[in-house]
Amino acid sequence: MSGHHGHDRSDVTAAVLTISSSRSLDADDSGDAIITALEDAGHTVSTRDLVADDVDAIRERVGTFADREDVDVIITTGGTGVTPDDVTIEALTPLFDRELPGFGERFRARSVEQAGPHAMLTRATAGIVDDVPVFCLPGSESAADFGTAELVTPVLGHLVGLLAEES
């Protein structure tokens, strides 16, 4: 390829992080949906983990993933709602070197079309942490699948390629 998309990556390696105080990796349908969507798009998952709804634990795990050589993108699921234990956004937005507001905007717009006005309550977002994109998706299986398959994977190779060019 040449031009603007000449740097696009066809195979991106991902870390998947489920944020929940009530789930286990054995019963993590949202994490499973993210992995399936990534693999269906030709990408690889190098690591997967689960942490509780705790600001410090979330920050530590995302920081560790961002420092790994085998992680090009981090996708989280859970903790994007409005209850007191939904702290993913509070944990991660301070780490963002740059925000990607279009992701959350589009996620909410499409979710409202599909699921109705309650979908406006999600705080799904994305940003860049140390040249690694981080996408924060809700904890429902359908939101994790839709967000990954329809919004993340179509731009992933381009985004990772752009960031690799910068570093």
Side-chain angles (χ1 to χ4, degrees), residues 86-106:
D86 289 325
V87 297
T88 299
I89 306 308
E90 289 75 14
L92 295 181
T93 54
L95 301 182
F96 291 167
D97 302 315
R98 287 164 285 175
E99 293 188 41
L100 301 171
F103 173 76
E105 293 162 3
R106 187 65 185 142

Side-chain angles (χ1 to χ4, degrees), residues 16-70:
V16 176
L17 180 63
T18 299
I19 299 162
S20 175
S21 296
S22 60
R23 292 187 193 173
S24 70
L25 284 178
D26 293 334
D28 179 21
D29 294 338
S30 300
D32 293 342
I34 291 169
I35 290 170
T36 298
L38 287 165
E39 290 176 346
D40 286 351
H43 302 300
T44 303
V45 175
S46 63
T47 189
R48 175 184 192 177
D49 207 350
L50 182 141
V51 295
D53 297 289
D54 175 81
V55 169
D56 293 332
I58 296 166
R59 285 182 183 160
E60 184 278 327
R61 196 60 40 91
V62 167
T64 298
F65 284 167
D67 287 341
R68 288 178 54 153
E69 291 294 319
D70 65 342

Side-chain angles (χ1 to χ4, degrees), residues 81-161:
V82 296
T83 66
D85 63 336
D86 289 325
V87 297
T88 299
I89 306 308
E90 289 75 14
L92 295 181
T93 54
L95 301 182
F96 291 167
D97 302 315
R98 287 164 285 175
E99 293 188 41
L100 301 171
F103 173 76
E105 293 162 3
R106 187 65 185 142
F107 183 91
R108 280 180 286 284
R110 286 287 308 277
S111 296
V112 167
E113 290 171 10
Q114 294 176 352
H118 287 97
M120 288 186 293
L121 303 180
T122 182
R123 297 181 300 145
T125 192
I128 310 298
V129 176
D130 296 331
D131 291 327
V132 176
V134 178
F135 293 91
C136 304
L137 294 167
S140 78
E141 180 181 0
S142 62
D145 177 51
F146 151 72
T148 307
E150 295 188 35
L151 299 179
V152 175
T153 61
V155 301
L156 197 50
H158 184 67
L159 177 58
V160 169

